[in-house]
Amino acid sequence: FYPGGAPVPYGGYAGGIIDGQTRRARRDEHLLDFDANLIAVGGLVRQPIPQLGATVTAAGRYGYPGALLSLATSVLSLSYWDYQLRGSYRVSDRDVVSAFVFGAYDKLTDKKKDVDLFDVQFHRADLRWDRQLLAGGRSRLALTLMFDQTGGGGDTKDDRLATLELERDLYKA
């Protein structure tokens, strides 16, 4: 966690940065979790596919606060959803390829003025090839695709961004 200015490899961000690593699912790990509450429904499923040496994890959430908000006011509409999908495949004893795709959507609308006050969505695809090196380290080749769209505040302007990043890291485990 970098609460202020982040180091140079993170770009020119002035706010905080959280850098985290997801844990690869174990080959024998099954998981099924569903949640439904007053404002959202969601679930998570993790399933190994032993015949392929692969594991797939999928999660998502859909919020329906608009139904509750409509009880309080007929002027505002609010909605959101998000998703995550991860798959990994062991190519050999030393090589693993994986894909992590995730995104979210949030929208707040003034129905009386027919104006989006807040309208944000993003989608990411992170593709990786990890290799265990004979010298005891690890190599990672990663490709990240991004799409961001921001609108609202009464402004009809959307900011769209599509970025392609290629990364090659060599590091000790």
Side-chain angles (χ1 to χ4, degrees):
F1 174 62
Y2 301 98
V8 172
Y10 295 98
Y13 295 101
I17 296 281
I18 296 175
D19 182 4
Q21 295 286 325
T22 57
R23 175 182 66 84
R24 187 175 301 130
R26 293 188 327 259
R27 291 185 202 179
D28 63 343
E29 187 175 28
H30 300 271
L31 184 59
L32 183 61
D33 182 44
F34 290 101
D35 176 46
N37 57 51
L38 193 56
I39 61 171
V41 62
L44 181 136
V45 177
R46 177 172 296 138
Q47 180 63 43
I49 307 169
Q51 302 86 342
L52 298 177
T55 302
V56 176
T57 304
R61 182 175 52 155
Y62 175 76
Y64 39 83
L68 293 175
L69 190 59
S70 68
L71 297 174
T73 179
S74 62
V75 176
L76 297 175
S77 169
L78 176 65
S79 63
Y80 66 88
W81 51 258
D82 58 62
Y83 66 94
Q84 304 86 41
L85 177 64
R86 179 178 180 162
S88 62
Y89 171 68
R90 182 166 295 280
V91 179
S92 70
D93 289 342
R94 295 177 46 207
D95 297 296
V96 175
V97 293
S98 63
F100 182 39
V101 179
F102 61 102
Y105 175 77
D106 299 285
K107 185 173 185 176
L108 176 64
T109 302
D110 182 333
K111 295 191 294 187
K112 190 173 184 179
K113 296 179 182 177
D114 194 27
V115 172
D116 291 335
L117 302 174
F118 184 77
D119 185 4
V120 174
Q121 70 172 310
F122 74 89
H123 307 278
R124 302 278 186 277
D126 185 33
L127 310 171
R128 294 181 181 181
W129 172 33
D130 289 304
R131 170 161 235 185
Q132 195 70 33
L133 300 174
L134 295 175
R138 210 167 67 179
S139 170
R140 171 174 288 160
L141 184 62
L143 175 67
T144 303
L145 305 168
M146 297 180 264
F147 173 80
D148 294 333
Q149 181 177 340
T150 305
D155 188 0
T156 57
K157 178 181 172 283
D158 285 344
D159 298 321
R160 296 173 188 262
L161 171 68
T163 305
L164 179 64
E165 295 178 0
L166 190 57
E167 153 191 329
R168 171 107 170 119
D169 287 332
L170 293 172
Y171 51 91
K172 291 287 185 185

